[in-house]
Amino acid sequence: MPVWLRGDVPGVAAPLQAVAHGLLNMLEEVEQAVNQLPRSQLWQNLGGAASAGFHLRHIAGSTSRLFTYARGEELSDKQRTALALEKTATPDVALDDLLHELREVVDSCLAELRSLQEAQLDTPRGVGRAAHPSTVRGILHHAAEHAARHSGQVVTTTKIIAS
């Protein structure tokens, strides 16, 4: 049963339930899709499309970065370094390590969602170095939507590789 049909995520404000459901659904989808993916295929690019490994790393990194902006903070040096390395295939990195990182990011994001009050959601926030205007709510909803988009790419990529 899809996450959103299982009821509310405990402790998350009503306007943020879709964000929590989206992040949890994404995690379940990618875990199922890559469950049997051999390491040799994790970083495989087909037809110029990004590898499943890239998408897993990108989901974790971009979600972490977006939640940082939602808090009104600048990216850390660690986040900037990870961003620079995101597109680099690293065959020595195991699938379990990528999934562990993704689970940690989702757990951290859920904790943040639980700490937010509805009154904070329309607080203006800047995104990126250019500080593009948004709000806490807008950034968080985009984080879930962006993660869902890339989880779909993981699912599709792994199906093509396995065929």
Side-chain angles (χ1 to χ4, degrees):
M1 178 179 307
V3 174
W4 65 275
L5 290 176
R6 297 181 207 158
D8 287 349
V9 176
V12 176
L16 296 174
Q17 285 294 322
V19 176
H21 288 145
L23 292 174
L24 289 167
N25 194 71
M26 170 277 301
L27 184 59
E28 287 184 11
E29 282 182 352
V30 298
E31 286 179 329
Q32 182 178 359
V34 300
N35 188 25
Q36 301 298 320
L37 190 65
R39 184 184 284 212
S40 63
Q41 294 178 334
L42 179 62
W43 299 99
Q44 187 174 349
N45 295 83
L46 297 174
S51 67
F54 161 78
H55 288 294
L56 293 173
R57 183 180 280 157
H58 180 66
I59 295 168
S62 62
T63 304
S64 171
R65 290 188 296 275
L66 287 165
F67 270 71
T68 297
Y69 295 135
R71 290 191 303 272
E73 299 173 2
E74 296 288 324
L75 297 183
S76 68
D77 289 340
K78 181 179 176 182
Q79 286 173 309
R80 288 185 199 284
T81 300
L83 175 59
L85 297 174
E86 220 166 73
K87 293 184 181 180
T88 304
T90 50
D92 56 318
V93 175
L95 175 60
D96 287 344
D97 295 334
L98 292 173
L99 290 175
H100 177 76
E101 179 184 359
L102 186 55
R103 286 183 202 109
E104 283 185 340
V105 167
V106 170
D107 288 346
S108 173
C109 290
L110 290 173
E112 282 192 53
L113 292 176
R114 288 182 178 102
S115 73
L116 285 168
Q117 304 300 314
E118 285 189 49
Q120 298 171 280
L121 297 181
D122 294 319
T123 303
R125 292 287 192 251
V127 178
R129 290 183 183 183
H132 297 289
S134 189
T135 62
V136 172
R137 180 192 318 260
I139 295 169
L140 296 178
H141 279 271
H142 175 66
E145 179 273 329
H146 185 260
R149 184 178 334 142
H150 282 278
S151 70
Q153 291 173 305
V154 170
V155 171
T156 301
T157 299
T158 56
K159 284 182 180 181
I160 292 169
I161 289 172
S163 63

